[in-house]
């Protein structure tokens, strides 16, 4: 899911406003909604020949260049979960024989995440297949968590930049007498909160990347890996419940009695988690995020027309950034639920199922 353009540039855009428009002038005008004060603020922008257009041009010139993917990390490129799976398998020499018995086509299906295309009878015919799938599932989930954590880190960096711009403007307003120290406090608290959230996001990204590196057997060999900028897009349609239930019955017919009973309990939970995750991810993307995009665009237009204040713009920027982060989190939850579902449909038993919105996971369903 590619973040909307405004969200991707929100931090630099606000920094551009803060630097291009003299903060002292902004401080003198932002506290008032009077037309004359708004006129002063927009006249400050008018110092640029083309007003807001030149502010945006300034932003584009001063935004940090997109890093060359080949130069972003010390370690190897891991462009998809399939690459993580291949590397994780190399740690287990005994799995070479399992892959040979499965055949090239079946191995390719596992790497591509097409586990439901596998013949259920392979569970009985290929010894060691359960371990092969276990390693693959863990590698796939580690890759998803690492990519998501890096995306979230970028959102927190943009949020802090916006909070710093607001805090600096607030301090200038206090210095020229338009604000009291009490009015400044919430703005500074917001900056402190954004800074703490960024620290948490950095640690989470470091931990997630370290877990992926460990899963691939590269601990002590590389300190980082080259990951894609975003998660895979959601599928156009979720898998149908009827087909999944039929698949569950087929795999259960290949399992010993004790494992069959356990799989019956897990399959119901996995299907329910998958369906809920897809519904939440699409609702977050198609409704919540789109409405936020609309509100942000309208706020920018009203700001340019002197109908909204810079504080309104800053607030809406934070709201949009949070909505985008929530949508990415929901997207991650779907792919984690998908990984668990496909694993269960091969007779696997995930330790935990996804807990929506938290990044952590819920306890595993009890076997009956």
């Amino acid at each position: 899911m590619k973040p909307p353009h405004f969200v991707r540039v929100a931090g630099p855009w606000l920094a551009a406003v803060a630097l291009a428009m003299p903060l002292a002038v902004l401080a003198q005008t932002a506290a008032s909604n009077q037309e004359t004060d708004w006129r002063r603020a927009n006249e400050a922008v008018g110092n640029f020949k083309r007003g807001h257009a030149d502010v945006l041009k300034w932003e584009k010139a001063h935004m940090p260049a997109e890093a060359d993917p080949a130069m972003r990390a010390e370690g190897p490129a891991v462009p998809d979960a399939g690459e993580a799976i291949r590397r994780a398998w190399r740690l287990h020499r005994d799995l070479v024989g399992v892959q040979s018995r499965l055949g090239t086509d079946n191995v390719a299906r596992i790497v591509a995440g097409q586990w439901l295309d596998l013949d259920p009878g392979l569970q009985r015919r290929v010894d060691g297949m359960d371990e092969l799938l276990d390693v693959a599932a863990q590698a796939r989930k580690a890759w998803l968590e690492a990519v998501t954590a890096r995306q979230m880190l970028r959102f927190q960096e943009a949020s802090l930049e916006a909070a710093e711009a607001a805090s600096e403007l607030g301090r200038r307003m206090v210095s020229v007498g338009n604000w009291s120290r009490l009015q400044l406090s919430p703005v500074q608290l917001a900056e402190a909160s954004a800074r703490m959230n960024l620290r948490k996001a950095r640690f989470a990204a470091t931990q997630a990347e370290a877990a992926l590196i460990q899963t691939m057997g590269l601990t002590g060999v590389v300190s980082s890996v080259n990951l894609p900028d975003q998660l895979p897009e959601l599928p156009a349609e979720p898998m149908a419940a009827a087909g999944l239930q039929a698949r569950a019955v087929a795999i259960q017919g290949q399992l010993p009695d004790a494992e069959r009973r356990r799989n019956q309990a897990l399959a119901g939970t996995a299907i329910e988690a998958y369906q809920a995750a897809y519904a939440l991810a699409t609702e977050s993307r198609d409704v919540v995020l789109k409405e936020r995009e609309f509100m942000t665009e309208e706020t920018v237009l009203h700001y340019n027309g002197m109908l909204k204040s810079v504080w309104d713009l800053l607030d809406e920027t934070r709201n949009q950034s949070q909505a985008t982060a929530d949508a990415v989190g929901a997207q991650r939850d779907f792919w984690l639920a998908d990984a668990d579902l496909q694993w269960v449909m091969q007779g696997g038993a995930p330790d935990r199922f996804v807990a929506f919105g938290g990044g952590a996971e819920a306890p595993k369903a009890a076997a009956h």
Side-chain angles (χ1 to χ4, degrees):
M1 180 181 300
K2 192 172 184 179
H5 173 73
F6 185 78
V7 173
R8 296 199 304 274
V9 303
W13 189 89
L14 290 167
V17 172
L19 291 172
M21 300 171 64
L23 280 173
V25 175
L26 274 175
Q28 291 169 342
T29 61
S32 173
N33 287 326
Q34 303 266 341
E35 181 180 350
T36 54
D37 288 334
W38 274 116
R39 193 177 303 280
R40 283 195 213 112
N42 279 267
E43 284 172 356
V45 177
N47 290 330
F48 292 91
K49 291 183 179 179
R50 293 185 301 141
H52 289 86
D54 277 349
V55 171
L56 295 176
K57 183 178 179 181
W58 185 98
E59 165 213 334
K60 183 177 180 180
H62 289 77
M63 280 183 65
E66 187 71 21
D68 183 345
M71 301 297 292
R72 263 196 306 227
E74 301 173 10
V78 190
D80 51 43
E83 179 63 20
I85 290 171
R86 292 188 194 93
R87 289 181 175 276
W89 278 343
R90 293 173 194 168
L91 287 177
H92 305 266
R93 295 183 181 276
D94 54 326
L95 295 182
V96 174
V98 181
Q99 294 177 59
S100 178
R101 292 191 293 274
L102 276 173
T104 303
D105 290 344
N106 285 323
V107 169
R109 292 186 183 101
I110 296 172
V111 169
Q114 299 168 351
W115 296 19
L116 299 187
D117 292 340
L118 298 171
D119 177 4
L122 290 171
Q123 281 289 344
R124 283 190 172 178
R125 298 199 302 268
V126 179
D127 185 43
M129 184 176 173
D130 54 347
E131 182 184 357
L132 183 91
L133 293 174
D134 190 341
V135 172
Q138 298 299 344
R140 184 182 179 194
K141 293 169 76 172
W143 182 86
L144 289 168
E145 293 284 13
V147 173
T148 303
R150 191 169 289 185
Q151 272 189 274
M152 293 297 191
L153 176 58
R154 290 196 297 273
F155 294 142
Q156 294 299 339
E157 288 170 343
S159 293
L160 177 58
E161 191 169 358
E164 287 175 338
S167 186
E168 175 61 19
L169 177 56
R171 284 191 290 270
R172 296 297 180 93
M173 291 180 70
V174 170
S175 70
V176 297
N178 275 341
W179 261 18
S180 68
R181 179 66 180 80
L182 180 60
Q183 288 174 299
L184 177 62
S185 292
V187 180
Q188 291 192 316
L189 286 174
E191 181 188 9
S193 178
R195 188 174 293 107
M196 289 189 292
N197 288 338
L198 177 58
R199 289 194 179 105
K200 292 175 185 177
R202 281 177 178 158
F203 181 73
T206 299
Q207 291 295 97
E209 188 172 17
L212 175 60
I213 288 172
Q214 182 179 23
T215 299
M216 297 188 299
L218 296 175
T219 302
V221 179
V222 300
S223 59
S224 59
V225 291
N226 191 351
L227 295 171
D229 291 333
Q230 58 196 38
L231 292 167
E233 294 288 346
L234 298 173
E237 297 289 339
M239 292 183 281
L244 293 172
Q245 290 162 356
R247 174 70 191 201
V249 171
I251 195 64
Q252 288 158 16
Q254 307 297 319
L255 301 174
D257 288 344
E259 290 184 26
R260 184 185 311 157
R261 290 193 296 271
R262 179 183 65 176
N263 189 266
Q264 287 173 342
L266 293 175
T269 302
I271 292 172
E272 183 179 0
Y274 173 85
Q275 293 174 321
Y278 187 84
L280 289 168
T282 52
E283 185 84 1
S284 181
R285 178 195 66 188
D286 298 338
V287 179
V288 177
L289 189 54
K290 283 189 177 179
E291 288 300 318
R292 273 295 168 198
E293 288 174 1
F294 170 75
M295 293 173 69
T296 299
E297 289 168 0
E298 288 297 305
T299 301
V300 172
L301 290 175
H302 289 166
Y303 170 76
N304 289 343
M306 299 182 290
L307 300 175
K308 290 283 187 180
S309 72
V310 67
W311 301 108
D312 295 324
L313 184 58
L314 289 167
D315 287 343
E316 190 51 44
T317 298
R318 284 191 289 266
N319 291 337
Q320 167 103 22
S321 181
Q322 185 59 54
T324 307
D326 290 344
V328 170
Q331 189 178 7
R332 171 207 56 205
D333 290 348
F334 167 77
W335 286 117
L336 290 174
D338 178 80
D340 285 339
L341 174 66
Q342 296 207 46
W343 193 9
V344 169
M345 291 299 160
Q346 292 297 330
D351 291 335
R352 298 175 181 275
F353 287 111
V354 65
F356 299 119
E361 296 185 323
K364 181 175 72 174
H368 299 289

